[in-house]
């Protein structure tokens, strides 16, 4: 698979694997053996970029990723994250953020153990903590890099101002934020800043949490423990309205002889050479479909056609409920 460079020399496969859904958020978690099989299948197909976080589970997703990638650890890039409050006794995420320097250090040590590694390739601040100056966060990660425990620094869902302030203290290799054909907010301010500063971009939910595949047409079909049940865009009326976007993407895909998911991912890859999306899946068949997007070439005319076809579509619903809105950019 094509390799792409993010920020300060971090090289990754053009498409990575978001591992969260293997053990968290999207209904029933996979059995460990099945999760390991998906991760290793991705590696066998050329994926070298794997994304996890302490809060996924919490904790169990890091353990899964670490075990799955142990045999090929020196040939892959593992990204993980800090920044949330988690009760160590109940192993439940609590309300609020925590990016105090001492907490960052404690999380890093715990993540290293769970991942079974002596260095984290890319360490993200999962969400900006308004109680801790970003300069203190960047300085702490800078020190961890100097100590050999971390290789690269990343941010997630950070504003242009925060990115600039952090980058002035410790170069930011990558920003991870939501970006897809149904969430294009980063185009206004974020992408220009990343290009100016030489920072890579890692879109999460590049398939709109599965919606852009065309497989989700009924909100009622989602299981009760599926995190999407509580998202405004997946409420019945919003979902029905948003199907208009999917129908347009399906038509474009049919003309190209590919799938809607492949169009959505190929479109992202065509936006900038320093963008590396991380679609997730629990099925090897879907993995193969997603990775096939790397072979879909979209010409300038194709991209213009996509813009024209979607220009009059208005996406309905916020991407997060009000209770979580403070943790992401509007």
């Amino acid at each position: 698979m094509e390799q792409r460079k993010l920020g300060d020399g971090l090289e990754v496969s053009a498409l990575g694997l978001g591992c969260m859904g293997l053990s968290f958020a999207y209904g029933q978690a996979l059995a460990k053996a099945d999760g390991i099989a998906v991760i290793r299948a991705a590696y066998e197909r050329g994926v070298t970029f794997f994304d996890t976080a302490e809060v996924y589970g919490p904790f169990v997703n890091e353990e899964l990723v670490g075990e799955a990638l142990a045999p090929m650890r020196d040939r892959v890039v593992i990204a993980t994250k800090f920044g949330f409050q988690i009760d160590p006794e109940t192993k439940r995420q609590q309300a609020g953020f925590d990016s105090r320097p001492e907490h960052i250090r404690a999380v890093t040590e715990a993540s290293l153990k769970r991942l079974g590694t002596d260095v984290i390739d890319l360490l993200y601040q999962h969400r900006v903590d308004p109680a801790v100056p970003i300069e203190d966060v960047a300085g702490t990660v800078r020190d961890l890099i100097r100590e050999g425990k971390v290789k690269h620094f990343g941010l997630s869902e950070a504003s242009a101002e925060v990115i600039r302030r952090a980058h002035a203290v410790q170069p930011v290799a990558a920003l991870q934020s939501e970006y897809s054909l149904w969430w294009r907010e980063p185009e206004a301010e974020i992408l220009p800043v990343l290009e100016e500063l030489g920072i890579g971009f890692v879109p999460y939910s590049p398939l709109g949490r599965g919606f852009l595949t065309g497989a989700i047409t009924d909100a009622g079909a989602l299981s009760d423990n599926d995190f999407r049940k509580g998202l405004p865009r997946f409420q019945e009326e919003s979902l029905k309205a948003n199907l208009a976007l999917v129908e347009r993407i399906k038509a474009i895909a049919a003309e190209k002889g590919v799938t809607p998911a492949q169009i959505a991912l190929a479109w992202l890859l065509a936006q900038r050479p320093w963008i590396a999306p991380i679609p997730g899946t629990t099925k090897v068949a879907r993995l193969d479909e997603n990775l096939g997007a790397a072979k879909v070439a979209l010409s300038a005319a194709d991209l213009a056609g996509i813009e024209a076809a979607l220009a009059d579509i208005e996406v309905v619903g916020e991407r997060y409920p009000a209770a979580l809105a403070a943790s992401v950019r509007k």
Side-chain angles (χ1 to χ4, degrees):
M1 185 184 295
E2 172 200 352
Q3 299 294 297
R4 294 193 163 193
K5 287 188 177 178
L6 306 180
D8 52 353
L10 177 59
E11 190 169 292
V12 301
S13 51
L15 288 168
L17 181 67
C19 298
M20 179 183 77
L22 297 173
S23 51
F24 176 75
Y26 294 117
Q28 182 63 42
L30 288 188
K32 181 194 280 189
D34 295 332
I36 288 174
V38 171
I39 292 170
R40 291 184 177 170
Y43 174 77
E44 290 165 1
R45 288 156 173 75
V47 174
T48 61
F49 188 26
F50 297 86
D51 184 88
T52 183
E54 62 155 358
V55 77
Y56 299 162
F59 307 138
V60 295
N61 196 246
E62 284 185 319
E63 294 168 351
L64 174 69
V65 169
E67 183 173 343
L69 295 176
M72 62 284 295
R73 178 64 190 95
D74 60 340
R75 300 185 294 279
V76 297
V77 171
I78 297 177
T80 192
K81 312 175 191 75
F82 65 85
F84 285 110
Q85 295 177 3
I86 301 173
D87 187 323
E89 298 299 324
T90 63
K91 295 185 178 181
R92 291 183 179 276
Q93 180 184 343
Q94 299 172 303
F97 310 111
D98 192 345
S99 281
R100 293 170 299 143
E102 61 269 30
H103 185 70
I104 296 172
R105 284 188 165 276
V107 170
T108 299
E109 295 295 343
S111 291
L112 286 167
K113 290 179 182 177
R114 286 190 291 268
L115 291 167
T117 187
D118 58 1
V119 63
I120 294 168
D121 299 300
L122 176 57
L123 183 64
Y124 292 105
Q125 181 189 38
H126 208 153
R127 291 291 185 269
V128 176
D129 185 344
V132 180
I134 194 61
E135 290 81 3
D136 292 351
V137 174
T140 301
V141 178
R142 176 196 60 205
D143 292 343
L144 289 166
I145 291 172
R146 290 173 178 174
E147 293 164 20
K149 295 178 179 180
V150 173
K151 289 185 179 179
H152 300 274
F153 175 38
L155 296 171
S156 181
E157 291 287 353
S159 68
E161 178 196 1
V162 168
I163 294 166
R164 288 185 184 280
R165 288 168 52 196
H167 193 71
V169 176
Q170 168 60 41
V172 176
L175 174 78
Q176 182 178 136
S177 291
E178 186 172 354
Y179 183 38
S180 71
L181 280 169
W182 84 331
W183 179 254
R184 297 180 60 175
E185 181 266 0
E187 295 173 351
E189 294 184 359
I190 298 303
L191 290 184
V193 168
L194 299 182
E195 189 150 32
E196 174 193 339
L197 299 178
I199 298 171
F201 190 37
V202 179
Y204 74 79
S205 296
L207 295 175
R209 307 189 192 283
F211 184 68
L212 297 180
T213 67
I216 301 172
T217 59
D218 178 11
L222 299 174
S223 63
D224 289 341
N225 60 346
D226 191 312
F227 140 89
R228 291 171 292 189
K229 275 273 193 182
L231 300 182
R233 288 189 175 188
F234 284 87
Q235 301 310 301
E236 185 174 359
E237 293 305 313
S238 296
L239 190 144
K240 286 181 180 178
N242 289 327
L243 285 174
L245 175 67
V246 174
E247 291 305 314
R248 298 279 178 93
I249 295 172
K250 282 183 176 179
I252 294 166
E255 290 179 6
K256 294 285 288 184
V258 298
T259 70
Q262 289 171 335
I263 286 292
L265 292 172
W267 177 84
L268 275 174
L269 290 170
Q271 298 309 300
R272 300 290 194 284
W274 35 265
I275 287 179
I278 50 168
T281 184
T282 60
K283 301 178 177 65
V284 173
R286 283 290 190 190
L287 173 68
D288 287 332
E289 178 185 353
N290 292 345
L291 298 183
K295 298 178 181 178
V296 177
L298 296 179
S299 66
D302 290 331
L303 293 170
I306 291 172
E307 290 292 329
L310 304 184
D312 64 337
I313 299 290
E314 181 178 352
V315 175
V316 178
E318 297 295 331
R319 58 184 179 133
Y320 285 103
L324 296 176
S327 71
V328 294
R329 296 191 318 278
K330 299 294 188 291

